[in-house]
Amino acid sequence: MDKFREECGVFGIFGHSEAANLTYLGLYALQHRGQESVGIATSDGARLQVHKAMGYVADSFDEPTIARLAGMSAVGHVRYSTAGESGLKNAQPILIDCAHGEIAICHNGNLVNAQELREMLVSQGSIFQTTSDTEVLLHLYARSKAPTPEQAIIESVSQAQGAFSLVFLTKDRLIAVRDPHGFRPLTIGRLGDAYIVCSETCALDLIDAEWVRDLEPGEVFIVGPDGEKSIHPFPPARSAHCIFEHVYFARPDSYVFGRSVNEVRTEFGRRLAAEQPAQADVVVPVPDSGVCAATGFAEASGLPLRMGLIRNHYVGRTFIEPHQSIRHFGVRVKLNPVKSILQGRRVVLVDDSIVRGTTSRKIVRMVRAAGASEVHMRISCPPTISPCYYGVDTPKRSELIGATHSIEEIRKYIGADSLGYLSLEGLLTGVGPSRQSYCTSCYTGQYPVAFPRSEAAHLQLALKLVE
Ligand code: SF4
């Protein structure tokens, strides 16, 4: 589907006899944050061991593998590649042994100065094993002369800029770090005496753990033999929580940045109905991304909500395409229209975003072909006009239809009778009183952390799409 893609989910647990198993379950709950590779590292108090694989969590671990991952503490990672090519060598946790002892790292985010740091390290003799931006942190850590692993982590992370929610595992400590802007989420939970850190609260729910609080931006949270401690070693910075977590990435059953994703997303839908009403008979979500916003839209507009598109949840990565052309095949393998709901009706289709426009165009055509008399597309965020440099996979600006086309041009391209987006003001009001603490760069093109000039090439505009 034509979506921005979250790149990673992280999980860590300290002080539980089933550390590897609970990490496996936590990653299972975080699978939506990355589907290309998965890994778990554990510590038995003396040594660390790791298992990594390409593919889904459920396909990558079996009972003997989990049983081999012995120990009372563990970290885990699901990955969709952003910085660094895909492949097992870039899968995380990355485990190294150095003067500070063994350490495993899991990273959600993107370091905007990774290339610069890497060039500096290579020029001084470092040999890299991956193309991932995360490895630079380990090189900085290994070179640090700080007296303790904690201080070496702080010294190395202090040199990084950009987005990082990090979970480290040493032989006897779990250390979590969130960047001073707090781009990506990271939250703390408890399960009996055990401590957990993870990307979203849905991972806590699955293992019956209790939510405690979010890590604060710039916080370093350490759990070890002497209990927990928290320090704030970095200079304070303007908060820039990724608003796209609320629009699309996070699971609706999670609490992210202190708010229920379901509630925020439903409120976006209510505001969308107020800002962009439609004369229609029925509200239909594009599943699953549009469901919460469509619920809010239906509630505020008084129109019935019906599941006029059904998603096939069991689409594999590869399937055998038909030799003969089947209309809308690519999208139909994932979504199928319910004719009894759509036929003869004026339909409001609600989705969370339009990135390139190609999928929306196919869906609108499919809904019309199923008999809808009118199709009114409503999007629960503003047009996405700029790429993300903080750990989200986005096309370059020239491929973002919102950057190169007016709303009327997009409407024509996707073939809808009308098209309406939620305004930036509506989006910021929808997230609640902490509206100043969000990053909205992909809607505004204004970036809270500068990125390297080489990346700026992605901002160039290209030729407009043609029919
Ligand atoms: S640019 Fe967009 S996707 Fe990236 S962190 Fe900011 S709000 Fe999130």
Side-chain angles (χ1 to χ4, degrees), residues 8 25 39 96 128 135 152 305 356:
C8 296
L25 292 170
I96 61 153
F128 278 78
E135 195 185 351
L305 176 76
R356 294 180 181 83

Side-chain angles (χ1 to χ4, degrees), residues 386-403:
S386 247
C388 175
Y389 297 100
Y390 310 127
V392 171
D393 182 54
T394 52
K396 52 190 177 187
R397 189 168 187 230
S398 56
E399 294 169 11
L400 291 170
I401 195 169

Side-chain angles (χ1 to χ4, degrees), residues 102-281:
E102 284 186 305
I103 190 165
I105 183 173
C106 300
H107 176 202
N108 176 201
N110 190 46
L111 309 182
V112 295
N113 64 338
Q115 191 56 31
E116 202 179 293
L117 290 170
R118 191 183 179 102
E119 282 164 16
M120 181 270 289
L121 288 160
V122 168
S123 73
Q124 294 173 10
S126 292
I127 299 168
F128 278 78
Q129 301 204 351
T130 77
T131 53
S132 139
D133 61 333
T134 311
E135 195 185 351
V136 299
L137 293 174
L138 289 176
H139 282 269
L140 294 170
Y141 173 80
R143 289 156 51 107
S144 168
K145 300 281 187 286
T148 66
E150 285 161 36
Q151 286 168 293
I153 286 174
I154 291 166
E155 193 182 296
S156 53
V157 171
S158 298
Q159 298 171 64
Q161 290 161 17
F164 46 88
S165 281
L166 296 160
V167 183
F168 295 89
L169 182 68
T170 67
K171 68 178 171 44
D172 59 359
R173 277 172 175 71
L174 178 71
I175 300 164
V177 185
R178 196 161 168 223
D179 73 71
H181 298 275
F183 277 105
R184 315 245 66 88
L186 196 57
T187 200
I188 303 171
R190 295 295 303 263
L191 180 61
D193 293 333
Y195 287 85
I196 294 148
V197 284
C198 55
S199 297
E200 289 183 37
T201 59
C202 63
L204 300 176
D205 296 340
L206 182 61
I207 60 170
D208 232 358
E210 182 192 345
W211 178 73
V212 177
R213 65 176 176 88
D214 284 348
L215 250 87
E216 290 165 22
E219 179 178 356
V220 179
F221 179 71
I222 303 153
V223 201
D226 307 324
E228 65 167 277
K229 75 173 173 189
S230 181
I231 43 180
H232 291 79
F234 311 117
R238 164 200 178 301
S239 280
H241 308 321
C242 171
I243 207 162
F244 222 90
E245 293 279 352
H246 275 306
V247 171
Y248 172 66
F249 295 138
R251 263 177 45 167
D253 49 338
S254 284
Y255 280 71
V256 164
F257 311 131
R259 296 224 47 205
S260 153
V261 175
N262 173 63
E263 287 309 312
V264 170
R265 231 168 252 178
T266 307
E267 181 61 17
F268 290 160
R270 291 189 199 105
R271 290 184 178 275
L272 181 61
E275 289 184 11
Q276 302 286 346
Q279 293 291 322
D281 304 309

Side-chain angles (χ1 to χ4, degrees), residues 325-341:
S325 142
I326 297 175
R327 274 192 316 153
H328 320 305
F329 178 78
V331 72
R332 182 163 284 178
V333 83
K334 293 180 181 135
L335 296 176
N336 203 30
V338 182
K339 286 191 181 139
S340 62
I341 291 175

